């Protein structure tokens, strides 16, 4: 299994500009828990799944509007790349590096 656990400093390229946040991943077999904290607050990870070095999860954000985000990312060493799906607003690229 890939080492997906850790704290990741991420940037999502959204229509509101670059959204920096800290993603925390704590895996347990083929699932994981954690949180994502940024300028607009902190949300818990739900439905976290691990498949090799790929993780998928959802987040229920409330600011600036209530929305469920569908996320996926691939981890390669200390680099994370992926996307954040925001329903009708489309999908936005995410990049980042391992902080711890």
């Amino acid at each position: 299994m890939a080492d997906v656990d850790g704290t990741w400093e991420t940037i999502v390229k959204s229509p509101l500009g670059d959204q920096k946040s800290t993603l925390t991943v704590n895996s347990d077999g083929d699932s994981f828990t954690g949180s994502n904290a940024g300028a607009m607050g902190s949300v818990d990870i739900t439905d976290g799944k691990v498949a090799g070095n790929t993780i998928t999860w959802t987040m229920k954000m409330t600011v600036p509007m209530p929305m469920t985000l569908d996320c996926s990312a691939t981890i390669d060493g200390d680099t994370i790349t992926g996307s954040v799906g925001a329903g009708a607003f489309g999908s936005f690229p995410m990049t980042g590096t391992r902080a711890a």
Side-chain angles (χ1 to χ4, degrees):
M1 174 174 278
D3 182 16
V4 298
D5 288 355
T7 302
W8 301 88
E9 297 299 332
T10 64
I11 298 174
V12 175
K13 301 279 188 189
S14 85
L16 300 175
D18 287 359
Q19 301 298 311
K20 295 181 181 182
S21 65
T22 302
L23 174 67
T24 304
V25 176
N26 301 304
S27 68
D28 182 14
D30 62 357
S31 65
F32 78 93
T33 57
S35 64
N36 193 56
M40 295 188 190
S42 179
V43 294
D44 288 332
I45 301 294
T46 54
D47 242 0
K49 294 180 177 48
V50 179
N53 66 336
T54 299
I55 57 176
T56 58
W57 71 99
T58 58
M59 299 183 291
K60 295 188 185 307
M61 65 179 248
T62 56
V63 176
M65 69 185 74
M67 182 183 308
T68 299
L69 303 175
D70 295 307
C71 310
S72 67
T74 300
I75 294 166
D76 182 11
D78 289 335
T79 302
I80 186 170
T81 55
S83 64
V84 174
F89 294 100
S91 185
F92 313 112
M94 177 185 67
T95 58
T97 55
R98 187 185 307 265

